[in-house]
Amino acid sequence: MTKLTHRYIARIVVEAKTALFIGTGETSLLKDALVVKDANGWPIIPGTSITGVLRHALEDAIEEKQKYKEIFGYQVGDKGLGSRLIVSNGHMMISEKIVAEGLMNEDYATVLAKFDNLPTRQHVKISAKGAAAKGGLFDNEVVYKGTRFMFEIELKGTSEDKEIWNKILETISDPLFRIGSGTRNGYGNLEILGALSYDED
């Protein structure tokens, strides 16, 4: 097994340039689909969602297929390898310096009150005949355009992983990078506002 000698770390701040929807798969009495939220009830971007989109984007971009398997991990029968890439949840930014991570005190309740009742978007399922399907009207919560999130990425590896680390950062910076559901309808467009990256051995 290759000895891991380096750690590549980045802290990234993104802003939703369009509405954002990452669903829990759950419903409520008033809404058919709810967004993922933290313990405070405020929206988050799960690290697993970011990882999944990154993996999908890089699978076709990396010439040597084995590289991404060694980075993202895999399981084949009784053989497998754990992921060397760790992605934190994307927590909402309350201000330029404050992140809504962990339980927040009441000082921020007023500032974040608008996130207690997120807006909804309605959709209609179209039948094979090109008309609205019976019972096909549904709605889902969305996170406001302009909401900012901060997340961190860490890659454990060697000096030879510098190239793929840069590729990971480039992928996140790509204007076509999208998170969540409804990306074909314009949801999930994120823009990087700031990124601090460094590596250590």
Side-chain angles (χ1 to χ4, degrees):
M1 181 176 178
T2 304
K3 183 178 179 180
L4 305 181
T5 58
H6 286 61
R7 296 171 66 216
Y8 301 88
I9 302 172
R11 176 173 292 172
I12 300 172
V13 175
V14 296
E15 180 178 298
K17 305 307 291 183
T18 61
L20 177 66
F21 175 66
I22 302 176
T24 62
E26 299 178 352
T27 64
S28 71
L29 292 174
L30 301 176
K31 299 172 183 177
D32 296 314
L34 305 176
V35 302
V36 180
K37 299 171 184 173
D38 64 10
N40 300 295
W42 301 326
I44 62 170
I45 302 177
T48 52
S49 295
I50 301 171
T51 303
V53 174
L54 272 174
R55 181 168 194 161
H56 180 73
L58 289 169
E59 281 183 355
D60 295 329
I62 301 174
E63 294 181 358
E64 298 180 38
K65 297 295 184 180
Q66 190 61 26
K67 276 189 176 182
Y68 79 81
K69 286 186 177 181
E70 293 175 353
I71 289 173
F72 291 99
Y74 64 91
Q75 184 72 43
V76 179
D78 60 351
K79 295 183 179 180
L81 185 68
S83 175
R84 292 197 282 122
L85 186 71
I86 301 171
V87 182
S88 75
N89 290 335
H91 292 279
M92 204 166 60
M93 301 287 295
I94 298 175
S95 68
E96 291 185 1
K97 296 183 179 180
I98 301 176
V99 181
E101 184 175 11
L103 292 175
M104 306 298 292
N105 60 42
E106 296 180 357
D107 294 342
Y108 305 104
T110 302
V111 177
L112 297 167
K114 70 175 185 177
F115 291 93
D116 291 337
N117 187 23
L118 293 172
T120 59
R121 295 282 178 86
Q122 288 190 334
H123 303 276
V124 178
K125 182 179 180 181
I126 304 299
S127 69
K129 296 181 180 180
K134 184 177 180 180
L137 178 65
F138 63 96
D139 54 34
N140 61 268
E141 286 185 320
V142 292
V143 180
Y144 299 102
K145 172 184 176 180
T147 305
R148 296 181 179 183
F149 298 88
M150 189 277 288
F151 62 92
E152 296 178 330
I153 300 179
E154 177 182 342
L155 174 64
K156 297 178 181 179
T158 67
S159 59
E160 296 179 355
D161 289 315
K162 182 68 174 180
E163 181 179 349
I164 195 162
W165 174 247
N166 289 336
K167 186 65 179 178
I168 289 171
L169 298 181
E170 288 173 9
T171 301
I172 297 174
S173 302
D174 193 313
L176 298 178
F177 189 76
R178 296 288 191 277
I179 290 284
S181 302
T183 55
R184 293 183 180 180
N185 295 323
Y187 289 1
N189 183 5
L190 301 177
E191 178 184 355
I192 289 185
L193 299 184
L196 176 62
S197 174
Y198 66 93
D199 60 89
E200 57 184 32
D201 51 22

